[in-house]
Amino acid sequence: MLSYFWLEILLIKTERDKMFNARRLRECRLKKGLTQTELMFELDKMGLRVSRCTLLNWESGNTIPNANALNVLAGYFNKSIKYFFAHKHN
């Protein structure tokens, strides 16, 4: 499974027409009815320690999660990693 994970990350990095879609991360959080602080604690239970400020930056598109964080987020929200790299439409 780890090799599939890295293959998916490599695929995302080579697809130039796709970028991290911060809105999808926010939508996933809101769909679960969580605040950023609550999500921060949920991710901590899964071994990913991030601050609320980090979540804010991810959701606003200022920064993107690293490979490990993407893996945890995808698992928590039951989505593929590629889901967070969908086309952005204006």
Side-chain angles (χ1 to χ4, degrees):
M1 183 167 167
L2 185 61
S3 60
Y4 175 77
F5 165 73
W6 288 111
L7 179 62
E8 196 168 2
I9 293 294
L10 180 61
L11 179 63
I12 289 167
K13 287 185 175 187
T14 59
E15 294 178 354
R16 294 178 184 205
D17 61 326
K18 294 187 178 185
M19 296 178 59
F20 181 72
N21 191 326
R23 186 175 3 153
R24 287 209 167 165
L25 176 58
R26 184 174 190 273
E27 288 170 356
C28 285
R29 176 180 60 80
L30 293 175
K31 190 172 183 179
K32 283 195 173 255
L34 298 172
T35 65
Q36 289 174 339
T37 301
E38 290 167 334
L39 178 57
M40 178 184 71
F41 286 117
E42 290 296 313
L43 296 176
D44 185 54
K45 292 177 190 175
M46 297 180 72
L48 180 64
R49 299 195 73 161
V50 295
S51 68
R52 194 188 68 74
C53 184
T54 297
L55 290 174
L56 175 65
N57 282 323
W58 290 347
E59 288 186 2
S60 63
N62 293 332
T63 61
I64 64 168
N66 64 24
N68 180 55
L70 283 169
N71 191 38
V72 173
L73 288 166
Y76 180 76
F77 290 116
N78 198 27
K79 304 285 185 190
S80 71
I81 292 171
K82 286 181 73 172
Y83 173 82
F84 295 105
F85 285 85
H87 289 284
K88 288 188 177 185
H89 297 287
N90 296 335

